[in-house]
């Protein structure tokens, strides 16, 4: 009974796989994105522009597996009756349907569904009227109750709403509840979706996004979206395309990845197949072409020129044969291509993408031509039970053929080609028709002519002329027209609002014809950080284009110190899709925050990291941002340092944090939030279980603010990093934080630098460390910890086994405190980094630390700079380095080390194999010390960075170091500045090091 329903989709599925949709591509379809309605860009923009603007990245949505597509999302919800799956052209909607039907037929998914009716709108186009009963009987076996029991167990699939010939009208259509009554097919569909007919059946519609907007959102129970290829899936897809030639597959992928614009579009499987085929064709034939003709395809137009050339010459990749030269192909295929182009162009104007026999005849397509190999590569046929449907392999192929038809027809047309009847004001000359096409595209509300115009502009490029030969205008004539057409497009940049999607498309058209000098100049300015003053309206459009395609914006979009309110406003629609956005030091005030807040509130927003540091944001601007955090689902890092949001702004953000469960990091450094602001944030930490990092340095929160935060930490288990430096926390605040650390084992990093903490405060903190099992990093730099605090720190280090980094720089430990810590380091096997800079430590403490290093096997970084350890301390540390195998970084700047210390260190470096970074700046090694170090460098292979800056080496000492590098293959950086070498000597030293160690960077 099920065989007739299942067999055809199964065969279609196998056919699709044979055409390049391999297992990897099908796996992509087993997880869909669960979306909440159509976004603005999906409703307004062309499919290709949607992908380009969003950079091919999926929306921030939950996923739903295919097997749960028609199941309730929770135990208390019900299954969806009407489901819609959207996706741009070529993404795999029909393949998804076939995959579902095939999996259901095998009993793998949706076992509660007894009958599946997979119908396409292509099939429905062949009927004028249908009844619900007849629709069911069309696909189901005869049943005594076709609209009752059968319908109750039926999933009705309606594939390809965008191909339906009649728009759906849900507001003016007549209501029908009689399943036997034959009505207009569009009215039948609206009544089924409304639930007036087949109430018990589930309905699944697939569609391109814009067409899906015909169905009111109130009638849709579930909307899903098909995501594009990820990096691994794209590689697998190309490997399947070129199964017998993996080298070719790798080369094709390399070319795609080198062009970000093409790489983004190749997330669409249908486009990836066209692009891969074209690049492979180029790679196979580039050696046979003249240097002028061997154009690496970079633009959309060039990709399709190669595809078209491959089709008309018959030199197809799967069936290689001796192809016709382009000139021969022109003569043999001109009539067919002309008919196909006319079909494509006027179909595009009518928003028609599926054609039937009557359409073929109307556009001069003779039956014999439809079966030619050229036709089958450019136009596909779907044999149905009543008639045949014809369609282009991808929307962009229809648009390219339409552009090629318009280009060739414009050479001789005297009337407006957009007026199909031929009745219009006369239009003479190619440029007149080009201007008409551009104006039509600008006026089109649905943006459906944008890519057509892009192809039309691209056909004027020198590369297109070289590729298509006799299809286009003579080269000299084309060159003159190209300059004039570029002028038309540049005129659009002034007429359209800055950075609007229409203006951006004009920039893309200029790129297609290889007139991209303004964009390239702007990119260089962006690279140099000198955009300030350059952002005119036309340059804003070029910048919006660069935000989509430039590699500079791939990891980070830095628009600091260059934007104004008006420029920022014009760029909002593009900034939405910048994952990492820096808008620092732009003198932004609260009015800009209102703009950015509205942008962050849009469902399309994909900004994950946003820095607004060093602007002029007050509490009002903070409130605008806080409102957006209530609905935003993408932002994970927000940096507001060095603004003036105050306690009121902190309260607004804290209130938002009570509900927001997306933000991971918040930086409010230097914002004058004071004690009250800290109190508000502490309240938020009681309910927020998502925030991981909180930066509050330089906010004068005081001891009471610290106490409130400490109380919150006793309950909060999500915060990992808390920075409270320069906040006048004092001993009272640090004692409160210590109490929190006794029960909180989730905080990993605590920064209390410059907080006037004395030995009393550190005693409380270290006592907490004896039981704390979570803290990994503690910064107590620049406090007032005296030598009495040393034993307390030592006790903690003996019992704590989790702390990795301890910073005690710029305190008052002296030798006594240093020695106590050294004795603990001898036993501790957890600490990896210890900073003791500027603590009045001398030789005794250095010797104690050296003895500890002979036993310690965990410490990797030791900072003793600005402590007068002298030659005696250096000698002790050197002896330890001969034994120690874990220390990698040693910082001994300004440590009173002389010749004897340098000689001892040199001996150690001859045997040590772990030290990688050594900083000896500001000591007194002299010539003798330089000679000793040079001798060590000839032997040592572990050292990577060495600073001998300001060591009185002199010219001779510097030469010793430079010549020693000839035998050293490890150093990548050496600093010899401040050694009285002189300008001429510096050049000689640089040249010597460049000769002896070309991979080593030198500062002289």
């Amino acid at each position: 009974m099920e065989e007739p329903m299942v067999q055809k989709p199964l065969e279609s599925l196998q056919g699709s796989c044979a055409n390049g949709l391999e297992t990897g591509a099908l796996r992509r379809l087993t997880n869909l994105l669960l979306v909440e309605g159509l976004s603005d860009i999906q409703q307004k923009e062309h499919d290709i522009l949607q992908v380009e603007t969003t950079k091919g990245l999926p929306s921030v949505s939950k996923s739903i597996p295919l097997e749960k597509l028609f199941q309730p999302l929770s135990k208390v919800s019900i299954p969806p009756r009407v489901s819609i799956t959207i996706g741009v052209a070529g993404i795999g909607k029909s393949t998804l349907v076939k995959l579902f039907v095939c999996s259901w037929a095998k009993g793998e998914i949706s076992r509660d569904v007894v009958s599946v009716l997979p119908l396409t709108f292509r099939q429905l186009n062949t009927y004028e009227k249908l009844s619900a009963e007849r629709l069911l009987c069309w696909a189901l076996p005869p049943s005594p109750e076709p609209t009752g029991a059968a319908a109750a167990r039926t999933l009705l699939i309606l594939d390809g709403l965008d191909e339906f010939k009649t728009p759906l009208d849900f507001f003016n259509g007549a209501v029908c509840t009689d399943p036997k009554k034959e009505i207009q097919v569009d009215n039948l569909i609206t009544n089924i979706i409304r639930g007036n007919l087949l109430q018990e059946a589930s309905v699944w519609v697939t569609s391109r996004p814009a067409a899906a907007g015909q169905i009111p959102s109130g009638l849709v129970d579930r909307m899903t979206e098909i995501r594009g290829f990820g990096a691994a899936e794209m590689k697998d897809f190309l490997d399947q395309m070129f199964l017998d030639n993996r080298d070719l597959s790798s080369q094709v992928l390399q070319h795609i990845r080198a062009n970000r614009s093409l790489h983004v579009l190749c997330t669409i499987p249908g486009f990836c197949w066209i692009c891969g085929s074209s690049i492979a064709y180029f790679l196979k034939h580039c050696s046979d072409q003249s240097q002028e003709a061997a154009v690496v395809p970079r633009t959309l137009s060039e990709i399709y020129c190669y595809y078209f050339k491959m089709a008309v010459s018959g030199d197809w990749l799967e069936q290689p044969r001796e192809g016709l030269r382009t000139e021969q192909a022109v003569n043999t295929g001109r009539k067919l291509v002309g008919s196909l182009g006319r079909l494509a162009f006027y179909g595009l104007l009518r928003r028609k993408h599926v054609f039937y026999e009557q359409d073929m005849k109307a556009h001069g397509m003779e039956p014999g031509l439809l079966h030619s190999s050229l036709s089958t590569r450019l136009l596909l046929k779907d044999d149905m039970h009543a008639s045949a449907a014809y369609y282009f392999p991808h929307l962009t192929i229809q648009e390219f053929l339409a552009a090629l038809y318009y280009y060739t027809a414009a050479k001789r047309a005297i009337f407006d080609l957009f007026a199909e009847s031929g009745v219009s004001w006369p239009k003479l000359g190619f440029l007149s028709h080009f201007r008409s096409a551009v104006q039509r595209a600008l006026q089109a509300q649905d943006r459906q002519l944008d890519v057509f115009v892009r192809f039309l502009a691209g056909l004027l490029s020198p590369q297109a002329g070289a590729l298509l030969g006799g299809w286009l205008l003579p080269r000299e004539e084309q060159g003159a027209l190209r300059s004039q057409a570029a002028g038309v497009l540049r005129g659009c940049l002034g007429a359209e609002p800055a950075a609007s999607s229409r203006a951006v498309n004009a920039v893309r058209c200029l790129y297609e014809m290889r007139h991209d000098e303004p964009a390239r100049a702007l990119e260089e300015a962006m690279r140099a950080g000198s955009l300030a003053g350059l952002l005119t309206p036309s340059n804003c459009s070029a910048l919006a284009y660069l935000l989509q395609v430039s590699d500079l914006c791939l990891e980070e979009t830095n628009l600091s110190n260059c934007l104004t309110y008006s420029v920022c406003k014009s760029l909002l629609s593009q900034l939405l899709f910048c994952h990492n956005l820096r808008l620092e030091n732009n003198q932004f005030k609260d009015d800009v925050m209102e703009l950015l807040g509205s942008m962050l509130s849009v469902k399309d927003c994909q900004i994950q990291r946003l820095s607004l540091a060093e602007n002029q944001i007050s509490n009002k601007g903070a409130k605008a941002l806080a409102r957006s955090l209530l609905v935003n689902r993408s932002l994970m890092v927000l940096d507001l340092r060095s603004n003036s949001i105050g306690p009121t702004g902190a309260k607004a953000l804290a209130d938002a944090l009570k509900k927001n469960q997306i933000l991971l990091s918040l930086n409010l450094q230097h914002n004058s939030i004071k004690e009250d602001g800290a109190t508000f944030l502490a309240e938020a930490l009681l309910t927020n279980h998502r925030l991981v990092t909180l930066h509050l340095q330089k906010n004068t929160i005081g001891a009471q603010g610290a106490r409130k935060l400490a109380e919150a930490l006793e309950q909060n288990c999500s915060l990992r990093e808390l920075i409270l430096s320069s906040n006048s926390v004092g001993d009272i605040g640090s004692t409160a934080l210590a109490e929190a650390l006794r029960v909180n084992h989730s905080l990993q990093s605590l920064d209390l630098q410059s907080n006037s903490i004395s030995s009393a405060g550190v005693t409380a903190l270290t006592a907490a460390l004896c039981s704390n099992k979570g803290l990994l990093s503690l910064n107590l730099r620049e406090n007032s910890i005296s030598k009495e605090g040393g034993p307390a720190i030592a006790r903690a280090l003996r019992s704590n086994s989790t702390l990795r980094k301890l910073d005690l720089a710029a305190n008052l430990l002296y030798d006594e405190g240093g020695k106590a810590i050294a004795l603990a380091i001898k036993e501790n096997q957890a600490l990896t980094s210890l900073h003791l800079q500027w603590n009045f430590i001398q030789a005794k403490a250095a010797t104690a630390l050296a003895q500890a290093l002979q036993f310690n096997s965990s410490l990797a970084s030791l900072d003793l700079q600005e402590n007068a350890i002298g030659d005696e301390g250096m000698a002790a540390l050197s002896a330890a380095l001969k034994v120690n195998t874990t220390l990698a970084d040693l910082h001994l700047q300004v440590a009173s080390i002389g010749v004897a210390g340098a000689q001892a260190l040199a001996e150690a470096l001859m045997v040590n194999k772990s030290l990688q970074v050594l900083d000896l700046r500001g000591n007194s090694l002299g010539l003798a010390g330089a000679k000793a170090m040079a001798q060590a460098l000839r032997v040592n292979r572990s050292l990577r960075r060495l600073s001998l800056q300001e060591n009185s080496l002199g010219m001779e000492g510097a030469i010793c170091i430079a010549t020693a590098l000839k035998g050293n293959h490890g150093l990548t950086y050496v600093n010899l500045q401040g050694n009285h070498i002189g300008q001429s000597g510096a050049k000689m030293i640089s040249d010597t090091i460049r000769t002896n160690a070309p991979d080593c960077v030198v500062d002289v």
Side-chain angles (χ1 to χ4, degrees):
M1 293 286 284
E2 294 177 348
E3 187 68 17
M5 289 182 288
V6 174
Q7 191 60 36
K8 184 177 178 182
L10 186 55
E11 291 171 357
S12 299
L13 180 64
Q14 292 167 343
S16 297
C17 292
N19 284 328
L21 291 173
E22 80 308 330
T23 307
L26 297 181
R27 278 198 300 270
R28 171 181 60 92
L29 300 174
T30 58
N31 270 294
L32 304 179
L33 299 174
L34 194 63
V35 294
E36 297 177 8
L38 295 170
S39 64
D40 289 342
I41 192 172
Q42 287 175 326
Q43 295 181 67
K44 297 176 182 178
E45 301 287 359
H46 186 288
D47 291 25
I48 292 293
L49 273 69
Q50 289 178 36
V51 177
E52 289 172 336
T53 305
T54 60
K55 304 175 186 178
L57 300 169
S59 60
V60 183
S61 305
K62 296 178 180 179
S63 62
I64 182 170
L66 185 61
E67 62 267 20
K68 295 184 179 180
L69 186 57
F70 305 110
Q71 294 181 10
L73 291 179
S74 66
K75 293 181 179 179
V76 295
S77 59
I78 60 174
R81 180 180 177 272
V82 177
S83 302
I84 298 181
T85 296
I86 59 170
V88 296
I91 200 75
K93 299 181 291 295
S94 296
T95 304
L96 171 68
V97 169
K98 295 165 189 173
L99 175 63
F100 174 85
V101 175
C102 183
S103 302
W104 168 79
K106 294 176 182 177
E108 297 172 351
I109 58 176
S110 298
R111 295 180 180 177
D112 56 321
V113 176
V114 175
S115 300
V116 171
L117 283 71
L119 302 174
T120 68
F121 280 95
R122 286 180 199 164
Q123 295 169 316
L124 293 172
N125 282 340
T126 61
Y127 291 87
E128 292 299 325
K129 290 187 174 184
L130 273 175
S131 66
E133 184 176 280
R134 188 177 167 200
L135 184 72
L136 286 179
C137 293
W138 183 9
L140 282 173
S143 169
E145 295 180 286
T147 60
R153 298 169 298 184
T154 295
L155 171 64
L156 176 62
I157 303 176
L158 300 172
D159 183 27
L161 174 58
D162 48 283
E163 296 180 341
F164 195 35
K165 65 181 181 181
T166 311
L168 298 181
D169 187 350
F170 283 87
F171 303 101
N172 300 310
V175 174
C176 177
T177 57
D178 183 358
K180 299 180 181 293
K181 183 179 180 180
E182 292 207 351
I183 55 177
Q184 296 290 332
V185 175
D186 59 313
N187 197 21
L188 173 67
I189 299 302
T190 58
N191 275 284
I192 289 174
I193 292 175
R194 278 195 175 280
N196 297 328
L197 293 169
L198 307 183
Q199 299 94 332
E200 301 300 323
S202 296
V203 182
W204 181 25
V205 180
T206 70
S207 175
R208 288 167 54 197
Q214 299 176 74
I215 303 177
S217 58
L219 298 178
V220 180
D221 301 308
R222 181 169 300 171
M223 181 173 283
T224 52
E225 183 177 357
I226 303 177
R227 64 178 180 84
F229 280 149
E233 292 162 335
M234 190 183 298
K235 181 182 182 302
D236 290 344
F237 183 84
L238 291 170
D239 285 344
Q240 287 290 326
M241 276 186 68
F242 309 109
L243 199 56
D244 299 327
N245 193 341
R246 288 300 173 89
D247 288 342
L248 180 60
S249 172
S250 298
Q251 291 178 58
V252 169
L253 183 59
Q254 185 178 356
H255 276 75
I256 290 173
R257 285 176 174 169
N259 187 318
R260 189 177 173 204
S261 185
L262 293 180
H263 188 241
V264 164
L265 291 177
C266 280
T267 57
I268 309 172
F271 181 86
C272 190
W273 185 83
I274 294 168
C275 188
S277 300
S278 300
I279 293 175
Y281 179 80
F282 158 74
L283 292 171
K284 283 189 173 185
H285 293 82
C286 60
S287 58
D288 302 334
Q289 302 176 41
S290 66
Q291 187 173 1
E292 183 181 12
V295 182
V296 179
R298 287 174 46 204
T299 68
L300 201 62
S301 301
E302 289 161 19
I303 288 292
Y304 282 77
C305 282
Y306 269 110
Y307 184 87
F308 178 74
K309 185 175 181 179
M310 179 168 55
V312 297
S313 66
D315 190 8
W316 209 254
L317 290 171
E318 304 99 85
Q319 298 172 347
R321 64 177 179 84
E322 185 178 351
L324 296 171
R325 295 195 309 273
T326 301
E327 292 78 7
Q328 292 175 302
V330 169
N331 296 329
T332 57
R334 189 177 294 279
K335 182 177 180 181
L336 173 59
V337 171
S339 297
L340 280 175
R342 184 177 173 82
L343 180 75
F345 177 66
Y346 289 109
L348 201 60
L349 296 189
R350 298 170 181 167
R351 298 170 181 79
K352 190 170 186 176
H353 308 293
V354 181
F355 309 91
Y356 300 87
E357 297 289 351
Q358 61 270 30
D359 301 307
M360 300 292 106
K361 293 175 183 177
H363 290 90
M365 294 289 292
E366 299 174 7
L369 290 176
L370 290 174
H371 302 293
S372 69
S373 60
L374 172 57
S375 175
T376 55
R377 294 303 180 187
L378 298 176
L379 193 69
L380 303 180
K381 182 181 180 183
D382 185 4
D383 286 311
M384 299 181 295
H385 68 281
S387 62
Y390 298 88
Y391 58 98
F392 294 95
H394 190 259
L395 172 64
T396 50
I397 292 178
Q398 179 177 356
E399 291 165 320
F400 178 80
L401 290 174
L404 185 60
Y405 163 77
Y406 191 89
Y407 180 106
T408 54
K411 293 186 290 186
R412 59 184 182 276
I414 61 173
F415 293 107
D416 188 355
L417 291 165
F418 283 88
E420 191 173 0
S421 64
V423 179
S424 70
W425 288 103
K427 284 186 179 292
L428 298 176
F430 180 89
L431 189 64
S432 177
H433 287 285
F434 180 84
R435 186 180 289 107
S436 175
V438 171
Q439 290 172 348
R440 291 275 186 162
L442 291 175
Q443 293 165 3
Q445 293 297 316
D446 55 8
R447 311 296 310 285
Q448 293 306 302
L449 294 176
D450 280 10
V451 175
F452 158 76
V453 169
R454 201 186 297 182
F455 280 133
L456 185 61
L459 290 172
L460 287 169
S461 71
Q463 290 75 12
L467 285 168
L468 297 188
W471 289 96
L472 306 177
L473 292 166
R475 185 170 304 180
E476 298 76 14
E477 186 180 351
Q478 190 183 37
L481 286 171
R482 180 166 58 255
S483 298
Q484 294 174 309
V488 171
L489 291 167
R490 280 194 288 269
C492 296
L493 296 180
E496 288 295 311
S500 68
S501 54
R502 286 184 170 87
V504 174
N505 197 58
V507 178
R508 285 188 176 274
C509 289
L510 287 167
Y511 174 73
E512 290 292 325
M513 60 170 62
R514 295 295 184 100
H515 270 268
D516 56 346
E517 295 82 2
R520 284 208 306 269
L522 203 65
E523 188 174 32
E524 285 305 313
M526 195 175 181
R527 183 176 281 109
S530 56
L531 281 175
L534 295 179
L535 296 180
T536 61
S538 60
N539 275 350
C540 282
S541 299
L543 177 58
Y545 162 74
L546 290 173
L547 292 178
Q548 295 179 9
V549 304
S550 174
D551 289 334
L552 278 178
C553 305
L554 187 59
E555 297 297 328
E556 176 184 87
T557 303
N558 189 352
L559 297 177
S560 301
N561 195 32
C562 68
L563 299 185
T564 62
Y565 174 90
S566 59
V567 172
C568 183
K569 184 177 181 180
S570 70
L571 290 171
L572 283 182
S573 60
Q574 305 301 326
L575 297 179
L576 271 175
F577 304 99
C578 297
H579 276 193
N580 187 355
L581 183 58
R582 287 178 59 189
L583 302 176
E584 301 164 8
N585 195 24
N586 277 305
Q587 285 75 56
F588 282 165
K589 297 184 179 179
D590 296 332
D591 54 352
V592 181
M593 295 309 103
E594 294 287 346
L595 286 178
L596 295 178
S598 65
M599 177 182 71
L600 291 169
S601 302
V602 174
K603 102 173 50 163
D604 289 347
C605 182
Q606 294 192 16
I607 300 173
Q608 296 178 1
R609 303 173 67 92
L610 175 61
S611 177
L612 292 164
E614 301 176 15
N615 281 290
Q616 298 173 18
I617 306 168
S618 74
N619 64 81
K620 185 178 178 182
K623 289 176 181 177
L625 293 172
R627 286 193 296 270
S628 71
L629 291 179
L630 295 174
V631 294
N632 179 277
R633 294 176 297 176
S634 66
L635 192 67
M636 293 187 286
V637 178
L638 177 59
D639 186 348
L640 291 172
R641 61 192 152 87
S642 300
N643 282 287
S644 305
I645 70 168
T648 309
K651 182 181 188 304
L653 290 168
D655 289 342
L657 286 176
K658 293 176 182 178
K659 297 181 179 179
N660 180 289
Q661 295 299 323
I662 303 295
L663 199 70
L664 297 175
S665 175
L666 178 61
N667 188 340
L668 296 179
Q669 173 186 346
H670 199 195
N671 263 285
S672 304
I673 70 168
K674 301 182 180 178
E675 179 185 325
D676 287 346
T679 302
F680 296 135
L681 289 165
E683 292 174 4
L685 290 178
L686 293 173
T687 55
N688 182 288
H689 304 294
R690 182 68 173 171
L691 199 69
V692 172
T693 303
L694 181 59
H695 292 203
L696 296 177
Q697 58 265 50
K698 297 183 180 179
N699 272 300
T700 59
I701 68 170
Q704 293 307 310
R707 185 175 63 81
K708 291 292 184 180
L709 289 167
E711 291 172 359
L713 286 176
E714 292 180 11
Q715 298 182 45
N716 181 286
C717 295
S718 62
L719 201 67
R720 297 291 180 268
E721 180 182 12
L722 178 61
I723 299 182
L724 297 176
S725 57
S726 303
N727 264 303
S728 304
V729 167
D731 288 335
I732 295 175
S734 57
T735 300
L737 289 165
E739 290 301 313
L741 289 177
R742 291 179 183 274
V743 295
N744 182 302
H745 300 286
S746 58
L747 192 70
Q748 296 178 353
S749 178
L750 178 61
D751 188 334
L752 293 172
Q753 178 179 339
S754 301
N755 269 300
S756 304
I757 299 172
S758 69
S759 295
V762 84
T763 298
L765 286 167
T766 52
L769 284 179
C770 292
S771 58
N772 180 279
K773 303 299 181 185
L775 203 66
L776 302 177
S777 175
L778 177 60
N779 184 355
L780 294 171
R781 176 185 287 255
E782 299 173 13
N783 280 290
S784 304
I785 304 170
S786 66
K787 57 187 177 184
E788 285 77 17
I793 296 169
R795 284 193 296 274
L797 290 177
R798 284 192 178 93
S799 57
N800 183 287
S801 60
T802 56
L803 195 68
R804 297 291 182 267
K805 296 179 181 179
L806 179 60
D807 191 339
L808 297 168
N811 280 287
L812 305 166
L813 290 173
Y814 290 92
D815 267 356
E816 292 88 334
K819 285 172 65 177
I821 291 171
L823 290 172
I825 292 294
K826 192 174 183 179
E827 300 176 27
N828 181 286
Q829 297 298 325
L831 205 67
T832 60
S833 176
L834 176 61
H835 289 263
L836 293 171
Q837 170 192 357
W838 199 8
N839 259 291
F840 304 98
I841 287 173
Q842 297 182 354
K844 290 181 180 179
T847 301
L849 284 166
Q851 292 171 350
L853 287 176
Q854 297 187 37
F855 297 91
N856 181 284
S857 60
S858 65
L859 201 66
S861 179
L862 177 60
D863 185 352
L864 290 173
Q865 61 180 303
E866 300 183 86
N867 287 296
I869 67 170
D871 287 340
E872 181 183 349
M874 186 70 259
L877 287 170
S878 299
L881 286 176
K882 293 179 181 179
V883 180
N884 182 281
T885 59
T886 57
L887 197 68
D889 294 8
L890 181 58
H891 299 269
L892 296 169
Q893 302 97 302
V894 196
S896 303
I897 301 170
V899 174
Q903 290 171 338
L905 178 59
E907 288 181 18
L909 290 177
M910 289 186 178
V911 296
N912 181 280
K913 297 180 180 179
S914 64
L915 201 65
Q916 296 180 13
V917 177
L918 177 59
D919 195 335
L920 294 169
R921 174 174 55 85
N923 287 290
S924 305
L925 271 59
L927 174 60
K931 288 182 177 179
M933 292 294 293
Q935 195 66 30
L937 290 177
R938 291 189 174 92
V939 179
N940 183 281
R941 292 291 181 271
S942 66
L943 212 58
R944 297 291 177 265
R945 297 178 65 87
L946 172 64
S947 177
L948 296 175
Q949 183 180 353
E950 300 170 7
N951 261 286
S952 305
L953 302 185
M955 183 66 181
E956 189 177 349
I959 290 176
C960 288
I961 298 296
T963 53
L965 297 186
K966 187 172 185 179
N968 184 292
H969 303 289
L971 271 177
T972 58
Y973 173 78
V974 61
N975 191 326
L976 297 174
Q977 292 175 324
N979 279 296
H980 311 295
I981 297 170
Q983 190 171 357
S984 60
K987 184 179 185 307
M988 186 175 72
I989 296 295
S990 295
D991 292 343
T992 303
I993 291 179
R994 195 174 295 112
T995 302
N996 292 338
D999 295 330
C1000 183
V1001 177
V1002 59
D1003 284 332
V1004 186

